[in-house]
Structures are given as structure tokens and as C-alpha cells.
Amino acid sequence: MSKSLDVVSKDYELKFNDKGLIPAIVQDADTKNVLMLAYVNETSFKKTLETGETWFYSRSRQELWHKGATSGNTQKIEDIYYDCDQDTLLMLVKPAGPACHTGETSCFYRKLAKSTEKNTENVNNNDILELLYELISERKQELPEDSYTTYLFENGIDKILKKIGEESAEIIIASKNEPKEELIYETADFLYHLLVLLVEKEVSIDQIKEELKGRYKK
């Protein structure tokens, strides 16, 4: 069990609702991805502070639950914040596995709506692979005409693998030449085709990150 948390704010006064609950947003401390939304009561919040791991109150079962007690996908608390109205918590955690019971990293894995405007000026470099993966996924679903991505999906896995092989060779050639801009260009081509393969095989970037995280810990 993790160690208890050091409460740095001595004058906080959380405002629980008429059912004695307060919502808690759970966010990955490293990736900043929102993982889930749950509720805590005074008892589960106290246990969270005491253990350093997330404890919630199940409204459906009407009982306390320790996240990961059964699955092993615990959430170690890094920091806890409360909002200006003192009626919502934000928990930054180090997850030991997926937050969602479906096996998805986050419970918020299904998109409901999106903007029709594409603003590339404010795209964060840290997010570009996820955004490109998302765009390729949309292309696979919609298969717009005159799209190279559509062409790859319509020609199937063999065509995608052939392109990855070709781009790998281009990277090798570019690595032996100067300037390095050629290597950068060919690497970007390779990563695009690799993302197409991941979408085709239904492998998410989060799953790749989880594998890398496991190796990094070793």
C-alpha cells in the first residue's frame, strides 16, 4: 500500500452535496489525460489521504471501493487539487493500468462531437501523433475520395506493409546522407505509415505507451 499523503492546505473545507458526495476528476500525472470521473464521500476521501491511492464511493452499489482492488489497476496519488468553489476534486495519479473496466486507458475513449474547424497553429508537438492517429482513424471510417489514406486502407494490409518496408529503406538511405533534413522527412513518412498500420490492426497509441512504460520501469 502507498504511503499517506501530506495535506498542504490546512484551511480547505470541501462542500459535499446533499448526498454526502463530491465529484473527483482523475487525471494521469504524466500524460495529463483525463482517466475517469468518480465520486467520493468523507470516508473514501479520508482513506485516499491515508493510503495514497484512490478510494471512491459507488452510487450504484452504495459502498466504498478501492480502485484496482480486484483488477490490480490501482492509482497512486501524486497531487490532489480542489476548485474555487471547493465542490470538485482533481486527482493527479500514477496509474498501474487502464482506468476503464473495458480495458481502455481512459473511460473517455468515445468521441461525441468535434469541431469542424482545423486549427493546426496551436497543435502541441506532444499531441501530434495522437492527433494524426485520430485523423487516420476518421479516414478509415469515412474513406473520403482522393485521399491517400483511403487508398492505403482500400488496398489492404499487404499494401500498408509494403509501404512500411519502402519507408524503412528510405530511412536507412537518408541516414547515410547529409543534411539531416532528409532523415527527418523520411522518418515522418515512416511514422505516418506506421500509424496507418496501427489503425488497421486496431492498436492504440496508449497501448504502445503502456508497453514502453513497462520497459522504462525495468
Side-chain angles (χ1 to χ4, degrees):
M1 189 68 70
S2 299
K3 296 181 180 180
S4 61
L5 300 177
D6 181 21
V7 178
V8 296
S9 178
K10 305 302 181 182
D11 58 350
Y12 75 91
E13 185 177 346
L14 298 180
K15 297 178 181 177
F16 294 87
N17 64 20
D18 56 357
K19 296 182 179 179
L21 303 175
I22 188 171
I25 300 166
V26 182
Q27 184 179 31
D28 190 305
D30 294 327
T31 67
K32 305 308 178 186
N33 290 336
V34 175
L35 302 179
M36 58 186 289
L37 171 68
Y39 288 83
V40 300
N41 61 8
E42 291 191 39
T43 303
S44 64
F45 184 61
K46 182 179 179 180
K47 292 184 76 67
T48 294
L49 295 179
E50 290 175 348
T51 65
E53 294 185 354
T54 54
W55 282 77
F56 304 111
Y57 181 80
S58 171
R59 294 176 297 168
S60 59
R61 301 191 304 271
Q62 296 188 344
E63 63 181 14
L64 298 182
W65 62 286
H66 176 204
K67 174 62 180 173
T70 301
S71 65
N73 299 329
T74 55
Q75 297 169 340
K76 181 180 178 182
I77 299 284
E78 288 288 302
D79 297 290
I80 298 179
Y81 294 85
Y82 59 100
D83 72 340
C84 54
D85 294 324
Q86 302 188 84
D87 60 2
T88 304
L89 295 171
L90 173 63
M91 299 180 175
L92 301 185
V93 305
K94 295 275 192 177
C100 186
H101 71 280
T102 63
E104 294 289 339
T105 300
S106 168
C107 292
F108 300 97
Y109 62 91
R110 294 174 293 188
K111 181 180 291 187
L112 178 64
K114 68 174 183 177
S115 171
T116 57
E117 297 181 2
K118 294 291 185 181
N119 184 0
T120 59
E121 294 182 1
N122 298 322
V123 172
N124 189 308
N125 284 346
N126 295 330
D127 300 330
I128 189 60
L129 288 179
E130 283 82 358
L131 291 173
L132 184 55
Y133 183 96
E134 182 179 319
L135 179 60
I136 292 171
S137 297
E138 292 174 0
R139 291 285 191 270
K140 184 180 182 183
Q141 292 178 358
E142 300 168 1
L143 295 177
E145 295 182 5
D146 301 323
S147 166
Y148 176 65
T149 307
T150 297
Y151 163 78
L152 290 175
F153 283 128
E154 288 183 337
N155 281 272
I157 188 67
D158 288 341
K159 182 64 177 180
I160 296 171
L161 293 176
K162 180 181 178 182
K163 289 301 299 181
I164 287 180
E166 292 174 356
E167 297 303 335
S168 299
E170 294 292 341
I171 288 178
I172 294 172
I173 294 172
S175 298
K176 292 182 172 295
N177 299 329
E178 293 290 346
K180 64 182 180 182
E181 281 71 21
E182 183 179 353
L183 175 59
I184 294 172
Y185 181 88
E186 297 299 342
T187 300
D189 270 356
F190 175 81
L191 288 175
Y192 159 75
H193 287 91
L194 180 60
L195 289 175
V196 171
L197 174 62
L198 294 180
V199 171
E200 174 68 14
K201 301 299 291 185
E202 298 183 350
V203 174
S204 71
I205 290 181
D206 281 339
Q207 288 174 306
I208 302 298
K209 287 182 176 180
E210 285 295 326
E211 176 65 22
L212 291 173
K213 184 188 296 185
R215 298 185 186 189
Y216 177 78
K217 290 179 180 178
K218 296 178 181 179

